[in-house]
Amino acid sequence: LSATPEIPKEDGRPKWDNKFQYILSCIGFAVGLGNVWRFPYLCQIHGGGAFLIPYFIALLFEGIPLLHLELALGQCLRKGSIGAWNTISPYLGGVGVGSWVVSVLVSLYYNTVLTWVMWYFINSFQEPLPWSVCPLNENRTGFNEECYESTAVNYFWYRKTLNITPDISESGTLQWWLILCLATCWAIVYLCTIRGIETTGKAIYVTAIFPYLVLTIFLIQGLTLPGATDGLIYLFTPNLNTLKNPRVWLDAATQIFFSLSLAFGGLIAFASYNPTKNDCEKDAVTVAIVNSMTSLYASIPVFSVLGFKATTAYWDCLDRNIISITNEFDLPEESIMRQNYTSWISFLNSSYPEKIAGLKLKSCNLQEFLDQSVSGTGLAFIVFTQAIILMPGSQAWAILFFIMLFSLGLSSMFGNIEGVFTPLLELRIISKSAPKELLSGIICLISFLIALCFTLGSGSYWIDIFDRYAGSVPLLVIAFFEVIGVAYIYKIKRFSKDVEWMTGRKLNLYWHSTWRFISPLLLLIVFMAFVTLQMQKPPSYTAWNPKYEGFPMKEEKVYPPWVQAICVLLAALPCVCVPLVALFHLVKQKRRSKDPSFVPPEVFSCQGVNS
Amino acid sequence: YAWDANEEYLFKAMVAFAMRRYSSKSTTQISNVLLCNVTDRVSFWFVVTDSSKNVTTVPGSEVEAAIRMNRNRINSAFLLSDKTLQFLKITSTLSPPVEPSTPVWLIVFGVVLCLIVAGIVLLIVSGIQKHKKKNKESTERENLEEKVEVTLENGIPCEALDLKAGHINGVYAADDERFTSL
């Protein structure tokens, strides 16, 4: 097959229908559940508007350089993570294997979170919403005790959805309703990734754009709710003193890193389907900025709704106190209103202190309600669902909210699955004549079977473990080796020539300095600080135990040794791939160098692929 | 509405009604119900006397049972609910939430699952069809190439005959000259 030098060789690799699809897929992968339920929480506990300073610094020196690196790598080498790193240097093949292992582990548990979202979604079609009322006890004189002590939303989440066991060592039984939802979720993932990017490219138009629509609707609705402004002021009031705490900087760095979904191999896979002459520099900056803007944009409706919820809780607290006081003193109805409550209380306290003390009134403080910050699944399934009950037309809001969460998670799942699928396709695990649909089907089926473990009673504890150990430390390690590998083993001069050939522009000083020094250094510092912080106390978890004295507070428990061993295994497995593969290749090289007919492989270059 | 003597009268009537229904004696009169200690909060104590037994009060448990039986009638007479009209020491039995025969979520789940399975089947079938078409096309192309080769393969390709392997026969060239001498 002869071709003129201008036309690139057709290698039969699938490609994106258009550039927009590619950008949208990267954005969808980066924008996930964490943008909605982790960023606003961090903003809140780390001094509101002041958190944006370390956040943007981390974005500039860590996020954008690493993102550009991955996209440029994938685009130049046109292979998935394992193939790409093997091509850069066989000693670095372990980096690709490590990212592949992390993608597998994360895909397993991430889809279970989507299962919970789906369960709530299909339960949102009822009137009244099932998490708004407590079920009755046997003789119908009162409510179910567990529900009564905590709240109806807590009960629905811990009992009706998870059916959680009080301890991680008690596995409980498989929850059939969760199995059904899990099967549905994996079927949806299979449907969308059945032919790789041909199908995800079409699905991404919906799953990446729809969340923005819903966020806008929630924004408009949220701003009209009473108490929304309190929540927003509370969120954005900068408290510059928090910047003195190194914990804030660490959280900002880790948030940017995990939010951009770096080191999963998915971004490399996405970029590998691009034509080589594509401006990856502009793409990287675009994706990173859109991701951060989305986080900011999402925090506004979240905090409006949280402010509304805090205000409503405050009013409820006041009303309860008012009722008890009116009953006690036999005052006429509506003599004490919320506005004159404080003056009444001070008056009564001075005249009848014993009676007031006898009533055991809870002190109602709006600030206290605003301070109750939650992140993660607690935000979505407990706090937000409670706020939704209070809104008029709650079914519609619940349905919209859960579809939005589902789309956000699904678009991130595409990236994860792509990170698993593309390297396997290249490794030719199944024969070339077998259709792609078979490979994706096998991946989805095996993942579904393994993920059944997460539908046990103790499943949510295991998901926390996976999230904390498999989805955090290994990524930092892999990213560190990625930067070091490209900057010092592949050599930055070669790489900058490749990038120049692809984008048509010379690399400026910003990229050189960050790739060579700043990003690796930053990653090293973040990694050490992260590990040190984890080591400071024995790994523990909070368990939902109805028999605990402090119920409804969650019980603090320590992981048993066998669970701790699994945690270490999860964190170490992807990291250990890097030295193992290097060692394996070293041994192979030594054996091969004794063979006289051995010819060393030629030096690879990005432009060499196409000329 | 404001609480005045008329409302008190209605209350007495309702309690008497409740006692009549409960004990199915038609002897309780409105005058048998006595209110005392009425406060601005609108809270008061009341007793029911039994005129047939020498002005003694009916035991509290009977009154409680009577009111419990007719609670919703009393509530609706005053346009109030269990929460707004409280009888201390009478706990209300709560009504369970309405449960449809098939849980709604199963229906929604069924719809979603059917859609997804339909989508998967569609995609797989179209993929198989495309695969078959591609296979058919590639086998057709292979057959075509073979035929082309057969026509060329008469031992030596035609073009090669003209340029390389052929000799120009001098006898025929000389014949041509003879014919054109006219």
Side-chain angles (χ1 to χ4, degrees):
Chain A
L1 196 75
S2 65
T4 54
E6 292 97 43
I7 306 171
K9 202 160 54 166
E10 278 294 326
D11 53 4
R13 197 176 175 75
K15 52 189 169 65
W16 299 107
D17 288 342
N18 49 50
K19 176 88 181 275
F20 184 57
Q21 224 178 48
Y22 162 63
I23 297 280
L24 215 55
S25 297
C26 290
I27 292 178
F29 184 28
V31 171
L33 297 168
N35 294 68
V36 169
W37 70 33
R38 182 127 176 100
F39 178 79
Y41 164 75
L42 286 176
C43 243
Q44 183 196 352
I45 62 170
H46 288 318
F51 180 70
L52 294 175
I53 299 178
Y55 184 73
F56 277 110
I57 292 181
L59 179 70
L60 211 57
F61 290 114
E62 193 192 340
I64 298 184
L66 284 170
L67 187 62
H68 186 203
L69 189 85
E70 289 212 358
L71 291 183
L73 205 66
Q75 198 174 291
C76 169
L77 299 170
R78 310 204 80 211
K79 288 219 181 97
S81 57
I82 300 186
W85 288 103
N86 262 327
T87 321
I88 291 241
S89 158
Y91 292 101
L92 281 179
V95 176
V97 177
S99 348
W100 184 83
V101 173
V102 171
S103 284
V104 168
L105 292 174
V106 170
S107 306
L108 287 176
Y109 80 81
Y110 204 80
N111 218 15
T112 317
V113 176
L114 287 187
T115 308
W116 298 335
V117 174
M118 161 145 286
W119 166 252
Y120 268 77
F121 167 69
I122 59 184
N123 269 302
S124 309
F125 286 89
Q126 298 178 29
E127 164 74 41
L129 289 171
W131 55 81
S132 57
V133 286
C134 269
L136 301 174
N137 57 16
E138 289 85 37
N139 49 8
R140 310 212 309 190
T141 51
F143 295 111
N144 179 305
E145 197 187 319
E146 186 182 349
C147 186
Y148 185 68
E149 304 260 317
S150 59
T151 58
V153 276
N154 273 326
Y155 179 75
F156 186 74
W157 169 237
Y158 286 110
R159 193 54 51 210
K160 282 292 173 58
T161 307
L162 299 173
N163 201 8
I164 207 166
T165 54
D167 195 273
I168 194 171
S169 29
E170 292 173 39
S171 298
T173 53
L174 290 171
Q175 319 302 327
W176 62 271
W177 57 90
L178 283 182
I179 296 183
L180 286 179
C181 292
L182 186 71
T184 317
C185 284
W186 277 109
I188 294 181
V189 169
Y190 180 51
L191 176 70
C192 295
T193 57
I194 195 167
R195 282 194 217 128
I197 62 164
E198 288 170 42
T199 38
T200 58
K202 311 282 188 308
I204 202 78
Y205 285 120
V206 173
T207 58
I209 297 187
F210 186 72
Y212 288 98
L213 284 174
V214 177
L215 275 176
T216 313
I217 298 177
F218 263 98
L219 181 76
I220 301 175
Q221 153 77 348
L223 289 174
T224 61
L225 293 169
T229 33
D230 287 318
L232 284 175
I233 292 172
Y234 182 68
L235 167 70
F236 284 120
T237 318
N239 176 13
L240 291 163
N241 285 324
T242 53
L243 294 181
K244 298 192 201 128
N245 181 6
R247 188 70 205 263
V248 176
W249 294 86
L250 176 67
D251 277 340
T254 46
Q255 169 63 15
I256 267 290
F257 185 77
F258 299 133
S259 174
L260 283 171
S261 310
L262 299 165
F264 277 92
L267 287 167
I268 298 183
F270 280 156
S272 70
Y273 296 115
N274 263 342
T276 26
K277 284 262 191 195
N278 178 46
D279 193 346
C280 48
E281 185 179 340
K282 205 156 53 139
D283 297 340
V285 175
T286 312
V287 171
I289 291 187
V290 169
N291 179 52
S292 297
M293 288 300 124
T294 309
S295 294
L296 277 172
Y297 188 60
S299 46
I300 302 180
V302 167
F303 266 87
S304 317
V305 172
L306 288 181
F308 164 67
K309 178 175 176 297
T311 309
T312 323
Y314 174 62
W315 286 346
D316 278 342
C317 180
L318 280 182
D319 287 343
R320 264 200 307 269
N321 286 356
I322 290 176
I323 290 274
S324 7
I325 296 177
T326 352
N327 276 343
E328 179 71 16
F329 290 96
D330 282 334
L331 301 162
E333 196 69 37
E334 292 190 7
S335 49
I336 308 183
M337 301 297 293
R338 290 178 195 148
Q339 292 89 329
N340 48 17
Y341 172 77
T342 30
S343 46
W344 265 102
I345 274 283
S346 41
F347 165 67
L348 289 170
N349 231 346
S350 45
S351 5
Y352 310 97
E354 327 79 40
K355 264 194 174 179
I356 294 284
L359 281 176
K360 292 198 187 35
L361 297 172
K362 258 202 202 143
S363 73
C364 298
N365 186 359
L366 181 61
Q367 203 56 27
E368 203 181 296
F369 287 112
L370 283 170
D371 274 334
Q372 290 168 359
S373 49
V374 209
S375 82
T377 51
L379 178 70
F381 298 117
I382 299 182
V383 171
F384 228 76
T385 43
Q386 192 154 35
I388 285 179
I389 304 174
L390 304 164
M391 295 185 205
S394 11
Q395 275 83 10
W397 296 114
I399 293 173
L400 272 178
F401 179 64
F402 290 116
I403 294 191
M404 175 188 83
L405 284 187
F406 194 77
S407 312
L408 282 172
L410 195 64
S411 49
S412 301
M413 269 307 281
F414 292 159
N416 278 323
I417 293 285
E418 213 39 60
V420 176
F421 186 61
T422 308
L424 282 182
L425 207 62
E426 284 156 13
L427 284 177
R428 309 256 171 84
I429 299 286
I430 57 172
S431 68
K432 208 157 184 227
S433 57
K436 267 193 265 190
E437 288 91 332
L438 188 66
L439 181 63
S440 44
I442 294 176
I443 294 178
C444 290
L445 188 66
I446 296 183
S447 311
F448 166 65
L449 292 173
I450 301 182
L452 282 176
C453 309
F454 295 123
T455 57
L456 290 169
S458 53
S460 94
Y461 299 132
W462 285 107
I463 290 192
D464 273 333
I465 288 181
F466 268 70
D467 193 28
R468 260 200 275 177
Y469 294 101
S472 58
V473 170
L475 292 173
L476 290 170
V477 171
I478 291 174
F480 178 72
F481 279 110
E482 280 190 0
V483 183
I484 296 288
V486 168
Y488 296 107
I489 300 186
Y490 186 72
K491 298 283 192 304
I492 206 89
K493 274 205 179 56
R494 273 167 73 192
F495 194 61
S496 63
K497 275 214 205 76
D498 293 335
V499 176
E500 213 179 300
W501 186 80
M502 288 194 293
T503 63
R505 286 193 300 277
K506 257 183 102 60
L507 272 185
N508 56 31
L509 183 65
Y510 165 66
W511 302 111
H512 276 285
S513 52
T514 45
W515 282 345
R516 261 197 256 236
F517 313 113
I518 305 185
S519 296
L521 195 66
L522 211 58
L523 276 174
L524 200 64
I525 297 176
V526 168
F527 171 70
M528 308 243 267
F530 197 76
V531 171
T532 325
L533 256 149
Q534 295 274 33
M535 301 280 216
Q536 259 173 11
K537 49 183 176 74
S540 64
Y541 67 109
T542 48
W544 179 262
N545 187 4
K547 299 203 178 46
Y548 178 51
E549 312 91 50
F551 190 77
M553 299 298 293
K554 296 172 84 170
E555 190 181 350
E556 181 98 12
K557 288 189 181 173
V558 179
Y559 286 125
W562 64 277
V563 174
Q564 289 190 22
I566 296 187
C567 298
V568 171
L569 188 72
L570 279 175
L573 191 65
C575 306
V576 97
C577 288
V578 180
L580 268 184
V581 171
L583 203 68
F584 170 73
H585 192 79
L586 192 68
V587 169
K588 205 162 76 160
Q589 192 78 329
K590 281 226 161 66
R591 232 183 276 162
R592 234 197 238 170
S593 61
K594 297 188 186 137
D595 177 7
S597 62
F598 171 64
V599 175
E602 27 179 281
V603 171
F604 173 81
S605 157
C606 189
Q607 297 130 303
V609 178
N610 282 316
S611 50
Chain B
Y1 50 81
W3 187 263
D4 54 11
N6 297 332
E7 305 289 340
E8 286 184 17
Y9 190 79
L10 179 59
F11 185 78
K12 291 187 198 174
M14 291 308 292
V15 174
F17 163 75
M19 292 305 297
R20 284 195 188 198
R21 277 193 87 197
Y22 176 70
S23 49
S24 37
K25 286 189 293 200
S26 343
T27 51
T28 327
Q29 302 290 329
I30 291 185
S31 45
N32 286 114
V33 184
L34 305 167
L35 272 57
C36 37
N37 276 3
V38 183
T39 63
D40 276 340
R41 177 76 184 92
V42 195
S43 69
F44 47 83
W45 293 92
F46 69 94
V47 287
V48 183
T49 57
D50 198 347
S51 42
S52 60
K53 286 191 193 154
N54 266 355
V55 203
T56 48
T57 52
V58 177
S61 49
E62 265 190 60
V63 180
E64 273 177 36
I67 294 196
R68 190 175 267 147
M69 197 175 88
N70 298 290
R71 189 65 190 270
N72 62 329
R73 299 294 296 270
I74 302 178
N75 283 348
S76 14
F78 290 97
L79 305 173
L80 295 170
S81 65
D82 276 2
K83 270 206 170 136
T84 36
L85 178 61
Q86 270 179 323
F87 288 90
L88 300 172
K89 287 196 249 166
I90 300 183
T91 52
S92 43
T93 42
L94 305 156
S95 58
V98 176
E99 291 233 3
S101 47
T102 26
V104 177
W105 70 267
L106 267 178
I107 300 176
V108 180
F109 173 75
V111 169
V112 170
L113 197 64
C114 284
L115 285 172
I116 294 166
V117 171
I120 293 180
V121 166
L122 221 93
L123 279 177
I124 292 186
V125 165
S126 73
I128 294 179
Q129 276 181 349
K130 229 194 288 182
H131 204 66
K132 267 201 210 133
K133 211 171 24 166
K134 204 164 48 159
N135 273 344
K136 211 169 45 162
E137 269 181 27
S138 63
T139 44
E140 274 180 19
R141 213 183 311 132
E142 275 175 34
N143 289 339
L144 203 64
E145 280 175 6
E146 276 186 29
K147 269 193 238 143
V148 169
E149 287 205 40
V150 162
T151 53
L152 287 178
E153 244 180 41
N154 237 335
I156 316 159
C158 287
E159 298 103 51
L161 270 176
D162 282 339
L163 302 169
K164 298 176 197 164
H167 293 287
I168 299 191
N169 200 335
V171 175
Y172 291 104
D175 264 348
D176 274 347
E177 278 183 56
R178 244 198 300 156
F179 279 128
T180 49
S181 56
L182 264 163

